[in-house]
Amino acid sequence: METQIIVALFITFSLFYVPFIWRNFIHNRKLKSIPTIGPSGTLYSYIGAFRFLRHGREMLQEGYDKFHGSLFKIPTLTSWVVVVTSGGLIDELRRAPDDALSLFDALRETLLLDITLPGLASDPIHIDLAKGPLTKNIGTKFADIQNEITVAFDENVPVKGDEWTKVTAYTTVLDIVARTSNRMFVGLPLCRNSDWIELNKEYTIDIVKTAMFLGLLPPVLRPIVAPLLRGISKGIERATRHIEPLVRERLEQEAQHGKDWPEKPNDIITWMLDITRDKPRSLRALAIALLGTNFVSIHTTTITFTFVLFELATRPEYVQPLRDEIEAVINDEGWSKDSVQKLRKVDSFIKECLRVSNFNIVAMARTARKDFTFSDGTTVPAGSMVVVPFNPVHTDRDNYVNPDKFDGFRFERMRAQQGEEAKHQLSSLGVDYVLFGHGRHACPGRFFAVNELKVMLAYVLLNYDIMMADGRGRPENWQFGLHTGPNRTAKILFRKRRT
């Protein structure tokens, strides 16, 4: 009986794959003029696709070195990915109109947004939130953010005297970031509600796991399999239950006292209701927007700060210069959004940590809605995904001096040059640093993220000594296809700072 079931599943699966492979064959012919890393034939390309699952970084670097200044393609199990390899081409990608190269179509493909955050790609409320009230309220809510960082660290890193306390870096940072971000988003008491925090941590992981698993399947199978993965739908239901009484209360108060009623909370619930005033959204849509905002904030900031801690724990020579800068600025000006902006060494150190981090496999993903021709004459056919390779750009000798060397104050020195004072910040955009993307679709929440990262790093430096628990260098990242991240089991030792 088991054999019959396996055979039936294999036949069913094959029937779905046959038309999928045929479509790939037709699309492959259109991409024939673009050189390939790995076998280029329709069937043989799957050898390269399986290699890409575990060795994507090496394949991207190989293509970048071999075809620098032009484009090349690499296979995945479900499509071809076209890679651009120069500043000029990255700029063309940035300037391409949305009806030609679409960010949201690419997100639908990589994160399967129509399944993991249904409706958000076609109605991206979270972007309006990030560009508007979230960024505008960083200064207003600075004290809240700083307070939550202090409380969250004290609870998650329970140091005692001179004793070393061992913690798992990724999960500890995840807890702290989830708390801190939600202090900004929903405030007290919800930001400390255990079910709310666990929900947002779990949903963040569920999005990545769901996208990775369903991404292995032909597109026609994904809507069939997706309902069997209950984490997404349950998460939306939990989020809806949490925000329903808050939304109801806000609407009741507004109906009684007007739009600007007394003691109106300054949080994401209010911001969403204000933004959607002319186009009301359902409670479920608001819950999904809040989950999406949390996903972007928690996922990226957790990965980012984990990388920063790994580097700090293995590069003790940077600790004292960073502490000196922080103490000098804070003693003169106190804690505020403006004073944190003056922490140039801190900003540079974080930026350098992320330059060498392999934070992403690729950046600035776009899907071609129609045939698109670059200035070198290369035409990318409709349906293709176009990306920028993350690490090759950040270690390109045309972009950086000694790019393979970690230089924590590299960007501080670059800002010290005449006319460069406002450039080379962590939040700056350019074709040589693509962490936040580039152009009009660059990460709109980067100013909040950068502020949060700086305050967290400053808190660690002023209050703790840290080192890797195994005494070794920075742990290796994990990578699976287009997805990557820091080692999730690596341990860090904390103790109370010795003065």
Side-chain angles (χ1 to χ4, degrees):
M1 178 64 70
E2 290 181 0
T3 302
Q4 292 174 333
I5 293 173
I6 292 172
V7 171
L9 288 173
F10 177 78
I11 293 172
T12 302
F13 198 70
S14 299
L15 288 174
F16 281 109
Y17 252 106
V18 167
F20 176 69
I21 293 173
W22 174 251
R23 286 196 299 273
N24 267 2
F25 171 72
I26 299 299
H27 191 65
N28 187 26
R29 293 178 64 184
K30 296 180 180 179
L31 287 164
K32 191 174 181 180
S33 63
I34 301 176
T36 307
I37 294 299
S40 59
T42 301
L43 294 178
Y44 286 116
S45 68
Y46 283 94
I47 298 173
F50 279 106
R51 182 184 170 219
F52 183 73
L53 290 177
R54 303 297 297 176
H55 301 284
R57 296 188 192 96
E58 294 91 330
M59 293 175 72
L60 286 166
Q61 190 66 58
E62 178 186 349
Y64 193 86
D65 294 340
K66 187 178 293 186
F67 303 110
H68 192 262
S70 58
L71 298 89
F72 66 93
K73 67 180 185 288
I74 53 175
T76 70
L77 291 178
T78 57
S79 64
W80 288 94
V81 175
V82 178
V83 186
V84 301
T85 65
S86 71
L89 293 172
I90 293 172
D91 196 56
E92 289 183 50
L93 185 65
R94 170 187 70 87
R95 291 186 285 105
D98 293 338
D99 63 353
L101 299 178
S102 169
L103 166 66
F104 288 109
D105 284 1
L107 291 174
R108 282 187 167 105
E109 189 171 343
T110 55
L111 290 176
L112 303 182
L113 283 192
D114 292 333
I115 293 172
T116 58
L117 290 164
L120 204 59
S122 56
D123 187 17
I125 311 171
H126 63 300
I127 291 181
D128 293 331
L129 290 169
K131 286 182 176 179
L134 178 63
T135 298
K136 291 176 182 177
N137 280 286
I138 293 172
T140 305
K141 305 198 75 172
F142 183 89
D144 290 344
I145 296 168
Q146 185 189 13
N147 173 256
E148 201 61 36
I149 287 171
T150 301
V151 175
F153 264 102
D154 288 349
E155 292 182 7
N156 285 278
V157 187
V159 293
K160 297 179 180 179
D162 288 339
E163 297 178 12
W164 288 100
T165 298
K166 184 189 293 186
V167 301
T168 303
Y170 178 84
T171 54
T172 301
V173 173
L174 179 61
D175 285 335
I176 293 167
V177 169
R179 285 266 299 270
T180 303
S181 297
N182 276 280
R183 181 67 180 268
M184 177 73 174
F185 298 158
V186 297
L188 293 168
L190 188 55
C191 74
R192 295 181 187 173
N193 179 293
S194 58
D195 185 68
W196 175 255
I197 294 301
E198 286 304 313
L199 161 63
N200 281 285
K201 292 191 302 183
E202 291 168 9
Y203 202 87
T204 293
I205 295 170
D206 280 341
I207 288 177
V208 178
K209 288 168 61 176
T210 300
M212 288 173 61
F213 175 70
L214 294 181
L216 298 173
L217 305 180
V220 70
L221 276 180
R222 293 169 188 167
I224 300 171
V225 177
L228 304 177
L229 308 176
R230 293 284 295 152
I232 295 297
S233 58
K234 287 183 178 179
I236 295 172
E237 292 168 6
R238 283 170 68 188
T240 303
R241 287 197 299 271
H242 274 290
I243 71 168
E244 182 177 12
L246 299 177
V247 172
R248 187 189 312 117
E249 179 194 13
R250 308 291 168 87
L251 294 176
E252 289 174 355
Q253 291 288 345
E254 185 172 315
Q256 292 179 26
H257 305 293
K259 186 175 69 171
D260 297 316
W261 49 280
E263 299 182 2
K264 181 178 180 179
N266 184 26
D267 62 16
I268 203 169
I269 304 296
T270 294
W271 304 340
M272 286 195 298
L273 292 175
D274 287 345
I275 287 173
T276 62
R277 188 175 304 278
D278 297 330
K279 184 184 175 184
R281 270 72 164 190
S282 68
L283 190 62
R284 185 173 186 272
L286 297 180
I288 291 171
L290 185 46
L291 287 170
T293 303
N294 260 299
F295 167 69
V296 174
S297 176
I298 294 174
H299 178 65
T300 56
T301 307
T302 297
I303 291 173
T304 298
F305 198 64
T306 301
F307 283 136
V308 171
L309 285 184
F310 285 164
E311 296 292 353
L312 186 68
T314 55
R315 302 183 186 278
E317 67 273 20
Y318 286 97
V319 171
Q320 196 56 49
L322 290 168
R323 281 176 175 165
D324 290 345
E325 178 187 65
I326 296 165
E327 289 172 340
V329 170
I330 300 309
N331 287 339
D332 286 346
E333 303 188 28
W335 286 101
S336 69
K337 175 189 172 186
D338 291 337
S339 64
V340 168
Q341 288 180 334
K342 296 181 180 180
L343 299 176
R344 291 193 171 195
K345 280 185 168 65
V346 171
D347 188 279
S348 177
F349 183 79
I350 296 172
K351 185 166 183 174
E352 180 73 352
C353 289
L354 302 177
R355 183 185 71 83
V356 302
S357 67
N358 264 310
F359 179 91
N360 281 323
I361 294 293
V362 298
M364 296 180 63
R366 304 287 188 269
T367 296
R369 288 187 166 180
K370 57 186 178 183
D371 291 359
F372 182 83
T373 302
F374 284 89
S375 60
D376 68 349
T378 303
T379 296
V380 176
S384 303
M385 182 182 291
V386 188
V387 302
V388 176
F390 190 87
N391 194 59
V393 168
H394 291 167
T395 56
D396 190 328
R397 294 187 181 279
D398 291 340
N399 295 334
Y400 299 100
V401 177
N402 297 323
D404 297 325
K405 177 186 176 183
F406 183 95
D407 182 352
F409 302 141
R410 174 193 303 273
F411 296 103
E412 183 208 19
R413 292 195 306 275
M414 293 169 72
R415 290 178 67 181
Q417 298 172 13
Q418 186 69 31
E420 301 291 301
E421 295 88 351
K423 300 179 181 179
H424 313 298
Q425 301 177 63
L426 178 55
S427 58
S428 300
L429 305 175
V431 296
D432 58 352
Y433 197 89
V434 293
L435 174 71
F436 293 115
H438 190 24
R440 66 188 181 282
H441 288 308
C443 174
R446 65 186 184 278
F447 302 104
F448 170 63
V450 168
N451 184 79
E452 188 177 17
L453 288 166
K454 287 183 182 179
V455 178
M456 287 195 296
L457 180 56
Y459 186 83
V460 169
L461 285 160
L462 294 180
N463 291 278
Y464 302 105
D465 295 323
I466 70 170
M467 65 180 180
M468 297 303 302
D470 61 6
R472 300 177 183 175
R474 202 195 88 182
E476 290 292 322
N477 297 4
W478 64 267
Q479 185 238 317
F480 188 78
L482 290 170
H483 303 277
T484 186
N487 184 304
R488 294 188 178 185
T489 61
K491 312 289 185 183
I492 286 184
L493 295 176
F494 284 78
R495 75 176 175 195
K496 189 175 181 180
R497 175 190 172 187
R498 289 181 172 178
T499 57

